[in-house]
Amino acid sequence: MMEKLKQSKVAALLKSTDYDRMVNVKGWARAHRGSGKISFIALNDGSVIHNIQIVVERDNFNQEMLKGITNGAGISVSGKLVQSMGKGQNVEIVATEIVLYGTADQELYPLQKKGHSMEFLRSIAHLRPRTNTFGAVLRIRHALAFAIHKYYNDRGFYYLHTPIITGSDAEGAGEMFRVTTLDPVKPPLNESGEVDYKEDFFGKATNLTVSGQLEGELGATALSLIYTFGPTFRAENSNTPRHLAEFWMIEPEMAFYDIQDNMDLAEDFLKYLVQYALDHCIDDLTFLNNMIDKGLLERLKSIVEVKYERLTYTEAIAILENSERTFEFPVSWGVDLQSEHERYLVEQHFKKPVILTDYPRDIKAFYMKQNDDGKTVRAMDVLFPTIGEIIGGSQREENLERLMQRIKEMNIAEETLWWYIETRKYGTVPHSGFGLGFERMVQFVTGMKNIRDVIPFPRTPNNAEF
Ligand code: ATP
Ligand code: MN
């Protein structure tokens, strides 16, 4: 018996030119064809979109075991890495030893057939990572997550872990999920007959966070530059291809940044992430370009090169009003822009990403810095082709009186925000930040049409199976 070989990754072997050595690979068969003297197994271990070809001289192996190696079977193969004469690959492995870990009954295995719809694959989210498309998406998702940490770490930002369970419901970014240990059938009631959250686990009503921003500001007003990268939750009952109930958000918050600095950072950050994917994920992107979205690579390259268009909300409304297009939701100054408006600006009018600033005060959150016109706030949204809004951000209101005035006008429960307000009492400074929806970014980079197909286990209304 030979010395136990160290397992190699398929990705590394496919690039290797160190031929005629013994190697071991482990993975899942994608196909097994040929039944005469020689058969060929296409083996994939998830390290790369490509399979490695295993050459099996059938007489050297147990025939029953070979029969069990069908699409989906888990196996270990040891053998000699040789230069391949066949087309489409540089190397192959001539097997000397095969261990069959687990078979996959071809009558039952849901991935036996190729070309399943995205809808069907969602119903087998436990197995879809084994498809080429989801393998590619998940590797790109990983690369982007890594690039995000690298980007901020290289620029002196600190990763701040903000809480997932929160006692403030003041952000107003969306409907929240309640977190409670109270008896759902017979909750304790107070004198007015309402649920008494004083009896609850935290002694108050708590929810899953919709954003880490408010806590992020606490970090930035001490560490200067921070970012959060964590899960956020919104109980929005919107069945759109761009909304999840559980999604990940990156929220940098920068002391001493004004809105211009904020826009510069956002644009640089987005370009960096796209370039990172082009530099590190080209095999997967090429696959997606061929199979999912023929314009993908071109779009990604153009986004890195162009300067994003910057204009105010008021200017954008004028463009939309003067456009020939009839929108499902009519536009006028004061309305919140819908995805159709955002995409018109980006895809038809400017033909490049757009950063809109200075939105009407009444459609934005209480913490945004008020402009002197008394009508608008220093908000900035970054709009992307195919996606619409990918980033929402603003310069924050650092003036205590102006902040308090907005909190009162908007009937926000001040007592749940006393800690936030104190940052404006003690050493208040100008600061800015934004939130990038991670899945929308992954959608953009992969070309996937539906946000449910860029997260391993999507959470949407009526869907929390896996
Ligand atoms: P939208 O108008 O598209 O619902 P929003 O105005 O609610 O977005 P923000 O509160 O500004 O979004 O959140 C910051 C970013 O988080 C957005 O720009 C977007 O990329 C992302 N995002 C917001 N809601 C969702 C969601 N339900 N699922 C996935 N990503 C989201
Ligand atoms: Mn929303």
Side-chain angles (χ1 to χ4, degrees):
M1 192 62 207
M2 275 182 304
E3 193 186 329
K4 191 169 180 282
L5 286 162
K6 199 164 164 288
Q7 181 189 350
S8 297
K9 285 294 167 83
V10 171
L13 293 184
L14 289 178
K15 280 190 276 183
S16 174
T17 51
D18 183 9
Y19 308 121
D20 302 323
R21 60 183 163 118
M22 292 301 290
V23 296
N24 171 266
V25 284
K26 296 177 168 70
W28 295 266
R30 284 290 178 82
H32 188 181
R33 54 194 173 75
S35 51
K37 282 228 158 305
I38 291 184
S39 60
F40 301 94
I41 302 166
L43 186 79
N44 190 283
D45 68 356
S47 63
V48 60
I49 189 122
H50 309 293
N51 306 322
I52 195 162
Q53 172 153 289
I54 313 295
V55 181
V56 184
E57 291 161 0
R58 297 181 65 86
D59 287 347
N60 301 341
F61 297 93
N62 177 311
Q63 300 304 305
E64 276 309 301
M65 190 270 297
L66 288 185
K67 255 191 234 156
I69 303 179
T70 56
N71 180 12
I75 60 175
S76 168
V77 177
S78 300
K80 193 193 266 185
L81 185 75
V82 299
Q83 191 163 16
S84 173
M85 297 300 142
K87 269 198 280 197
Q89 72 237 351
N90 298 325
V91 296
E92 56 195 19
I93 297 171
V94 180
T96 52
E97 191 184 338
I98 302 178
V99 178
L100 172 57
Y101 291 128
T103 57
D105 185 338
Q106 298 304 279
E107 300 290 314
L108 301 173
Y109 186 47
L111 291 174
Q112 172 51 14
K113 289 200 297 281
K114 291 234 176 334
H116 289 301
S117 71
M118 290 297 158
E119 287 77 11
F120 174 73
L121 290 172
R122 262 169 240 151
S123 76
I124 53 162
H126 59 304
L127 293 173
R128 67 179 185 170
R130 297 190 191 187
T131 64
N132 281 331
T133 301
F134 284 90
V137 168
L138 293 179
R139 280 186 296 271
I140 293 169
R141 184 182 166 104
H142 161 81
L144 289 172
F146 180 79
I148 285 161
H149 287 298
K150 178 164 170 52
Y151 180 85
Y152 287 114
N153 183 62
D154 287 353
R155 284 157 185 77
F157 285 65
Y158 296 105
Y159 180 23
L160 187 77
H161 295 96
T162 51
I164 289 169
I165 299 172
T166 159
S168 74
D169 61 354
E171 229 263 317
E175 290 298 309
M176 302 184 102
F177 289 100
R178 172 91 356 128
V179 175
T180 180
T181 54
L182 294 180
D183 182 345
V185 182
K186 272 190 100 200
L189 303 177
N190 63 20
E191 280 147 25
S192 7
E194 294 153 345
V195 177
D196 187 3
Y197 287 105
K198 284 203 190 67
E199 299 283 313
D200 206 345
F201 188 90
F202 295 105
K204 62 187 297 199
T206 50
N207 297 293
L208 293 178
T209 186
V210 294
S211 155
Q213 180 202 316
L214 299 187
E215 295 90 350
E217 287 187 48
L218 310 181
T221 50
L223 299 166
S224 288
L225 303 173
I226 66 94
Y227 69 105
T228 73
F229 185 4
T232 51
F233 307 85
R234 296 186 186 180
E236 41 198 356
N237 216 338
S238 47
N239 269 303
T240 81
R242 306 176 310 119
H243 288 90
L244 291 164
E246 175 179 301
F247 65 100
W248 287 65
M249 190 144 57
I250 301 98
E251 296 178 277
E253 191 71 35
M254 297 76 66
F256 315 112
Y257 272 44
D258 66 13
I259 191 158
Q260 300 297 331
D261 303 322
N262 205 18
M263 287 192 276
D264 291 345
L265 182 76
E267 182 168 341
D268 185 63
F269 176 46
L270 290 168
K271 287 175 171 172
Y272 176 92
L273 293 183
V274 173
Q275 189 61 53
Y276 189 92
L278 286 167
D279 291 343
H280 294 86
C281 309
I282 196 64
D283 281 0
D284 289 324
L285 290 174
T286 304
F287 173 85
L288 294 169
N289 188 78
N290 295 338
M291 304 303 287
I292 301 285
D293 179 349
K294 297 269 187 265
L296 179 63
L297 284 173
E298 210 181 305
R299 199 180 315 119
L300 295 182
K301 284 176 191 153
S302 80
I303 228 84
V304 190
E305 282 155 16
V306 294
K307 175 107 188 73
Y308 301 176
E309 192 70 32
R310 298 181 184 185
L311 65 156
T312 65
Y313 167 93
T314 303
E315 289 164 336
I317 291 291
I319 291 170
L320 292 166
E321 282 177 335
N322 295 329
S323 80
E324 305 285 277
R325 268 276 289 274
T326 31
F327 296 105
E328 193 188 332
F329 297 91
V331 270
S332 60
W333 200 95
V335 303
D336 207 353
L337 294 183
Q338 302 291 326
S339 160
E340 55 169 345
H341 309 131
E342 298 171 343
R343 292 187 61 178
Y344 175 84
L345 291 168
V346 174
E347 291 166 23
Q348 313 291 320
H349 191 83
F350 290 110
K351 299 191 164 53
K352 55 176 154 169
V354 169
I355 310 183
L356 289 188
T357 57
D358 303 293
Y359 282 72
R361 194 176 68 173
D362 296 339
I363 59 171
K364 289 291 185 187
F366 74 94
Y367 49 72
M368 296 193 181
K369 185 170 176 64
Q370 298 171 59
N371 283 319
D372 293 334
D373 63 10
K375 290 192 305 193
T376 61
V377 287
R378 238 165 255 183
M380 55 154 235
D381 282 9
V382 183
L383 316 179
F384 252 34
T386 72
I387 303 292
E389 182 190 330
I390 197 157
I391 279 181
S394 67
Q395 185 168 337
R396 317 306 189 191
E397 183 59 80
E398 84 274 24
N399 179 286
L400 178 64
E401 278 99 70
R402 288 180 146 220
L403 183 71
M404 292 312 295
Q405 168 216 332
R406 280 312 279 158
I407 288 176
K408 292 207 171 69
E409 280 169 8
M410 294 173 79
N411 288 317
I412 292 166
E414 193 185 317
E415 66 282 2
T416 65
L417 277 181
W418 63 272
W419 42 274
Y420 181 81
I421 294 164
E422 289 207 346
T423 58
R424 275 65 170 174
K425 282 188 189 156
Y426 307 126
T428 188
V429 295
H431 61 288
S432 298
F434 61 80
L436 168 67
F438 185 50
E439 284 73 18
R440 291 202 188 162
M441 189 63 194
V442 182
Q443 250 190 300
F444 178 75
V445 172
T446 58
M448 297 298 282
K449 303 278 172 301
N450 196 307
I451 199 165
R452 297 162 196 215
D453 301 328
V454 298
I455 186 166
F457 306 104
R459 295 286 172 264
T460 51
N462 295 316
N463 182 25
E465 179 76 14
F466 306 94

